[in-house]
Amino acid sequence: MKLPACCRSLTVKCLLLCCCAAIFISEAASAADSITSAPPAARAAELKHLLRQDCGACHGLTLNGGLGSPLTAQALADKPAAALVATVLQGRPGTAMPPWQAFMSEAEARWLIQQLQQGIKP
């Protein structure tokens, strides 16, 4: 069965609209994944203190490295954020890097990594 010309035109427009919507939704989801909202101010201060004191014990108080690798924006620039978050939460078995998931949520770890990759010092 062949559709009338007016219906074929409408079908093509609907398909184009659906494709555009799918692309928009995909881009919005990617953008949402890359931007992590800051925790409340008091919790952000706690996380920065943890970063400075606990992480700094191995990564250096200036985060330029020590027993652990540097946590500077330059050192983390080419590292995928998801892999860094996994390392923070799960640690690295067989190394001095402990898991921190008992002390922070995944969203908080993402926020800390984002802060570090942007070069923000604790």
Side-chain angles (χ1 to χ4, degrees):
M1 176 170 119
K2 189 170 181 179
L3 292 174
C6 65
C7 291
R8 284 192 303 251
S9 174
L10 185 59
T11 301
V12 169
K13 288 178 184 175
C14 285
L15 285 173
L16 286 172
L17 182 60
C18 287
C19 288
C20 289
I23 291 169
F24 176 77
I25 290 169
S26 173
E27 290 297 317
S30 295
D33 286 344
S34 65
I35 299 170
T36 301
S37 60
R43 181 61 179 153
E46 290 172 358
L47 291 168
K48 286 182 176 185
H49 178 75
L50 182 125
L51 179 63
R52 185 174 39 257
Q53 297 301 315
D54 294 282
C55 300
C58 288
H59 294 278
L61 293 178
T62 60
L63 305 179
N64 286 314
L67 173 63
S69 58
L71 298 180
T72 61
Q74 297 81 8
L76 302 176
D78 61 339
K79 311 265 188 305
L84 295 171
V85 169
T87 296
V88 169
L89 294 175
Q90 299 163 11
R92 290 198 176 213
T95 73
M97 179 64 187
W100 292 94
Q101 63 190 359
F103 303 99
M104 70 182 75
S105 68
E106 183 177 341
E108 291 170 337
R110 270 196 316 272
W111 179 77
L112 275 177
I113 293 300
Q114 187 178 38
Q115 298 295 296
L116 290 169
Q117 286 185 317
Q118 291 175 358
I120 296 169
K121 296 289 183 184

